[in-house]
Amino acid sequence: MSRNRSTDDGDALLARLGALTAQARERAELQRSLVELAVALQRGMLPGDLPVASGFHLAVRYSPAFHGLNVGGDWYDAFSMHDGCIGLSIGDVQGHNIEAAAFMGQVRVGLRALASVTSEPGELLSRTNDLLLSLGTDLFATCTFMRLDPSTGVLESARAGHIPCVWATADGKSGIAEDEGGPPLGVQQGQEYPVTRYRLNTGGVFVLLTDGVVEGPSLSVDEGLDQVVSLAGVAAVAGMDAGSLAAAVIKGAERVGHEDDAAVLVVGHDGPDVRQ
């Protein structure tokens, strides 16, 4: 074989490797741009301000933890409703891409829009479920929706396939909310979602969260929920404010080794005691 032939083959190989490297770089830059777009979409759809009610404080923490070139679709929301109550929602969309982030926005906007028609949590989730199915997407979402009446301290909750909330009271009691719940949103038409009622008294807290906070390779969901129960119990007894509790819960999410978003929404009651 001649020296020129070897040189030509080597040059062709180098040129081919250079072309493949350039293609790989272009694909990586495209994927990175999609991730950045999805993250911007997420953050742009989350509420900037939280409702204010005498005697109650809301606090949120959100960690868009993306793994590789994936990004999740967790969300939280809190808004004032026409009946004087406050609507609270938290949820998680199936998938880790820009479609999941966009679908998250549709769910959140759908909940807000339908809340102007009905503020009853069970009916609101049923209507949102049917709305999402009418969009013809293959995605689905888990969600908890709560209606807080600041005049009574009553929380009405409906759950669509989402992990349960955590509660704690100032007298040292704490636990995981026990409610029946229903299937995720966007799976099957005509679903019903039972409503469970709670009362939030002075010093009490409710913690709404997504599974990225409590479940991952290093921790089972039961172990993660138990950790949040302990944190909430200590916070309520110590009189910790809602913001500090939310920060402590999201900090604990670092220990689960998750590859998902993590969202926390805390409702705290620091006003006069509310009685029947």
Side-chain angles (χ1 to χ4, degrees), residues 57-61 240-250 264 266-268:
H57 280 93
L58 306 180
V60 295
R61 293 293 186 276
M240 185 183 296
D241 64 87
S244 297
L245 174 56
V249 172
I250 204 73
V264 177
V266 174
V267 186

Side-chain angles (χ1 to χ4, degrees), residues 31 34-35 37-39 41-42 45 69-74 93-107 135 137-141:
Q31 290 298 320
L34 290 174
V35 170
L37 176 60
V39 171
L41 187 61
Q42 275 181 321
M45 290 182 178
L69 295 176
N70 292 329
V71 64
D74 289 18
V93 172
Q94 169 228 9
H96 296 85
N97 49 34
I98 193 169
E99 287 79 15
F103 189 66
M104 174 268 285
Q106 292 176 315
V107 179
L135 298 177
T137 178
D138 293 331
L139 297 176
F140 63 86

Side-chain angles (χ1 to χ4, degrees), residues 25-86:
R25 186 182 297 112
E26 289 176 1
R27 292 193 188 99
E29 291 175 351
L30 174 60
Q31 290 298 320
R32 190 178 298 109
S33 297
L34 290 174
V35 170
E36 292 173 353
L37 176 60
V39 171
L41 187 61
Q42 275 181 321
R43 290 176 174 166
M45 290 182 178
L46 296 175
D49 298 316
L50 300 175
V52 177
S54 178
F56 293 87
H57 280 93
L58 306 180
V60 295
R61 293 293 186 276
Y62 182 70
S63 175
F66 37 96
H67 175 68
L69 295 176
N70 292 329
V71 64
D74 289 18
W75 86 88
Y76 64 84
D77 200 7
F79 56 95
S80 299
M81 297 192 288
H82 62 84
D83 57 4
C85 293
I86 294 175

Side-chain angles (χ1 to χ4, degrees), residues 20-243:
L20 290 173
T21 301
Q23 291 176 10
R25 186 182 297 112
E26 289 176 1
R27 292 193 188 99
E29 291 175 351
L30 174 60
Q31 290 298 320
R32 190 178 298 109
S33 297
L34 290 174
V35 170
E36 292 173 353
L37 176 60
V39 171
L41 187 61
Q42 275 181 321
R43 290 176 174 166
M45 290 182 178
L46 296 175
D49 298 316
L50 300 175
V52 177
S54 178
F56 293 87
H57 280 93
L58 306 180
V60 295
R61 293 293 186 276
Y62 182 70
S63 175
F66 37 96
H67 175 68
L69 295 176
N70 292 329
V71 64
D74 289 18
W75 86 88
Y76 64 84
D77 200 7
F79 56 95
S80 299
M81 297 192 288
H82 62 84
D83 57 4
C85 293
I86 294 175
L88 308 165
S89 74
I90 195 163
D92 185 4
V93 172
Q94 169 228 9
H96 296 85
N97 49 34
I98 193 169
E99 287 79 15
F103 189 66
M104 174 268 285
Q106 292 176 315
V107 179
R108 176 176 170 265
V109 170
L111 284 166
R112 280 204 177 210
L114 291 172
S116 64
V117 179
T118 176
S119 64
E120 199 275 334
E123 183 179 357
L124 178 56
L125 288 187
S126 293
R127 288 175 178 263
T128 304
N129 176 63
D130 293 343
L131 173 64
L132 295 178
L133 284 167
S134 71
L135 298 177
T137 178
D138 293 331
L139 297 176
F140 63 86
T142 66
C143 174
T144 292
F145 187 88
M146 283 187 168
R147 177 174 65 182
L148 168 64
D149 185 346
S151 67
T152 63
V154 170
L155 275 166
E156 295 177 299
S157 174
R159 188 162 57 96
H162 201 65
I163 61 173
C165 302
V166 168
W167 59 269
T169 59
D171 59 2
K173 298 176 182 178
S174 59
I176 299 171
E178 297 180 1
D179 50 28
E180 183 178 348
L185 303 175
V187 175
Q188 188 173 358
Q189 200 83 20
Q191 295 299 308
E192 295 184 356
Y193 298 90
V195 175
T196 305
R197 290 171 177 81
Y198 306 94
R199 182 174 293 276
L200 191 57
N201 290 324
T202 300
V205 295
F206 254 83
V207 183
L208 291 73
L209 38 78
T210 59
D211 58 4
V213 179
V214 294
E215 183 180 22
S218 304
L219 205 66
S220 71
V221 64
D222 291 335
E223 292 171 329
L225 283 171
D226 287 343
Q227 287 189 5
V228 178
V229 168
S230 297
L231 278 173
V234 171
V237 171
M240 185 183 296
D241 64 87

